[in-house]
Amino acid sequence: MHKVLISPFHNPYLNLALENYFFETLDSRQPLLFLYVNEPSVIIGRFQNPWIESRPYALGPIHLVRRQSGGGTVYHDPGNVNFSFISSQEEYDKTANLEIICCIMKKAGVNLSINERHDLTVRFQDDVYKVSGSAFRLKKDKVFHHGTLLITSDREKLKKAITPDRDRHFLKTGGTASKRSKVISLSKVVQDLTVDSVISFFRESFQLFPADWKTLQNTETVQREIVSLKSEEWVYEKTPPFIQDLSALFPGEEQLMEIEVKKAVITKTPESLNYLTGIPYGRKETGTILRSRIESSIGDRRIRDESYSRLVRLIR
């Protein structure tokens, strides 16, 4: 029987840090099911490129978080219930984990199915929609398996948050790209279904484990993980190397207008754009550094302004 914890927090950095803490300190004799609800967030997989998955500069108050597990990008908001099964590798069974979720949701009036990719799907009006994906992390003899259930999430906000900038022409990218699927919020399938009602079904089905959340929140390892998750080194510099084509910005140029980016820093450019070399890609300071480089490299003010306006939206 799983020990069940339900987080009282909605900060994605804190909840993912707590998840990692539970994973690292797991008592192998007692598997854990950790539930949490986050503020609006784009959660990318550990090996993903944030500019392929979303538009980081345009997210505004939405958090951009790189998690510890692999897999694809998901959107969290107060309309999602996130679950994390943490266990020893010996007791790990991803199908059995998802069957638990299916059983709980059946009590809520929703019939879910598990597909070959271990997504949870629902049939609605003669079509099949994805309502939950899975991601995993394995370390020595421990595993966590987490996913999110779309309950009342705003589909349009979800779509907007995880729609990339199509003008960024990426030629070669490493890492894992998300596979887009048709999704639906379960409140469309069962009227009056809410996050609170879903959590109540978990409460009724399991004996909750008491936790000193204030102490857990202030644990040194949890606070250290929060700092790491928020850092640009983790969010951006962990991005696998990629090549971007800027040719559309410079019609008539005969040479290839490609830049190479490693650890979110521009490392290689065509000769005519060598002032871009070393500029951090997609960071808060990118625009400021770009303008300074252009001003010191191009004499004509009109050309400087035009070059800046062309480049800044594609590398910021």
Side-chain angles (χ1 to χ4, degrees), residues 27 64 96 148 168 215 221 223 285 304 310:
D27 181 345
L64 175 65
T148 184
R168 295 187 191 232
T215 298
T221 53
Q223 289 298 313
E285 68 270 26
R304 286 203 308 262
R310 285 179 175 184

Side-chain angles (χ1 to χ4, degrees), residues 1-3 26-33 85-100 136 138 140-145:
M1 177 65 70
H2 286 81
K3 180 170 70 175
L26 174 73
D27 181 345
S28 60
R29 298 167 298 178
Q30 180 72 72
L32 173 68
L33 172 55
F85 291 93
I86 305 172
S87 69
S88 66
Q89 190 170 357
E90 184 179 358
E91 295 193 19
Y92 166 64
D93 185 332
K94 56 187 173 184
T95 299
N97 292 342
L98 293 175
E99 286 174 345
I100 290 174
F136 313 91
L138 170 65
K140 294 182 180 178
D141 61 342
K142 295 178 289 189
V143 182
F144 76 58
H145 163 199

Side-chain angles (χ1 to χ4, degrees), residues 10-12 15 37-43 61-63 75-78:
H10 303 298
N11 183 300
N15 280 327
V37 177
N38 280 334
E39 298 166 351
S41 315
V42 171
I43 313 291
I62 299 176
H63 303 286
Y75 176 68
H76 289 181
D77 68 7

Side-chain angles (χ1 to χ4, degrees), residues 32-164:
L32 173 68
L33 172 55
F34 177 47
L35 303 174
Y36 54 96
V37 177
N38 280 334
E39 298 166 351
S41 315
V42 171
I43 313 291
I44 63 173
R46 181 166 185 167
F47 308 107
Q48 289 198 293
N49 181 323
W51 299 283
I52 288 178
E53 302 301 327
S54 66
R55 289 175 290 178
Y57 190 77
L59 287 176
I62 299 176
H63 303 286
L64 175 65
V65 188
R66 185 186 296 276
R67 62 178 186 267
Q68 290 281 4
S69 63
T73 296
V74 292
Y75 176 68
H76 289 181
D77 68 7
N80 292 29
V81 174
N82 306 295
F83 59 85
S84 181
F85 291 93
I86 305 172
S87 69
S88 66
Q89 190 170 357
E90 184 179 358
E91 295 193 19
Y92 166 64
D93 185 332
K94 56 187 173 184
T95 299
N97 292 342
L98 293 175
E99 286 174 345
I100 290 174
I101 301 300
C102 290
C103 183
I104 296 295
M105 295 310 298
K106 191 170 185 178
K107 295 180 180 180
V110 181
N111 292 312
L112 299 180
S113 299
I114 305 169
N115 69 14
E116 68 281 355
R117 294 178 56 229
H118 289 90
D119 298 328
L120 293 177
T121 64
V122 66
R123 179 170 288 277
F124 180 66
Q125 294 182 349
D126 298 322
D127 210 342
V128 175
Y129 297 88
K130 177 179 173 180
V131 296
S132 178
S134 289
F136 313 91
R137 184 186 178 199
L138 170 65
K139 183 178 181 180
K140 294 182 180 178
D141 61 342
K142 295 178 289 189
V143 182
F144 76 58
H145 163 199
H146 58 188
T148 184
L149 282 169
L150 297 174
I151 308 298
T152 61
S153 292
D154 186 314
R155 186 175 177 275
E156 289 306 312
K157 289 182 179 179
L158 182 157
K159 183 179 179 181
K160 184 177 180 180
I162 61 174
T163 297

